[in-house]
Amino acid sequence: QVQLVESGGGLVQTGGSLRLSCAASGRTFSDYAMGWFRQAPGKEREFVTAISWTGGRTYYRDSVKGRFAISRDNAKNTVYLQMNSLKPEDTAVYYCAADSIRRRTVNHEEAGSYGYWGQGTQVTVSS
């Protein structure tokens, strides 16, 4: 059974940085794409970023490009989200997600591509 455990959320001022981690277990981590989604109060869950199973391709929503960076360490079965220049509109619960298809090459930005989700970690950016 795949398990995802996020950590690293918290409260930060505008312009600050946070690094989220997501530790995965239960299958061969390196064969699957990983993603981060977020959900703000009263809003739908939205795609933030994803990294291919090879680590060679990354995908970002427009509003976080240049500020956020996703990476993975297959030796540690962990995916990271480095968030810089944070803004109040980044406030949300952030969810780590693991792909349901081995070695996927398309549709990394679709929530339906991910069959496993973490419990979420709160990120709050104060103005």
Side-chain angles (χ1 to χ4, degrees):
Q1 184 176 357
V2 177
Q3 291 189 324
L4 304 173
V5 179
E6 300 113 332
S7 60
L11 173 64
V12 65
Q13 292 185 335
T14 296
S17 298
L18 283 174
R19 188 194 196 201
L20 306 184
S21 300
C22 172
S25 62
R27 66 180 183 183
T28 305
F29 178 77
S30 58
D31 276 346
Y32 295 87
M34 299 292 294
W36 288 93
F37 289 72
R38 67 187 182 188
Q39 187 167 19
K43 296 186 177 181
E44 293 185 353
R45 188 173 298 189
E46 64 182 18
F47 169 79
V48 177
T49 180
I51 187 166
S52 64
W53 68 273
T54 65
R57 292 191 176 186
T58 56
Y59 310 83
Y60 296 93
R61 70 179 298 107
D62 287 345
S63 61
V64 307
K65 286 179 180 177
R67 301 189 297 123
F68 289 12
I70 188 171
S71 60
R72 63 189 299 158
D73 184 338
N74 289 339
K76 296 183 178 180
N77 290 353
T78 300
V79 62
Y80 303 98
L81 177 58
Q82 178 66 45
M83 303 185 294
N84 300 324
S85 302
L86 283 161
K87 304 176 180 180
E89 51 263 44
D90 295 318
T91 295
V93 177
Y94 282 71
Y95 297 91
C96 172
D99 203 338
S100 56
I101 294 179
R102 184 172 174 266
R103 301 189 178 185
R104 178 190 298 276
T105 59
V106 296
N107 297 333
H108 291 86
E109 302 181 22
E110 302 297 324
S113 296
Y114 300 89
Y116 305 94
W117 296 81
Q119 80 285 356
T121 185
Q122 177 70 46
V123 171
T124 303
V125 184
S126 63
S127 57

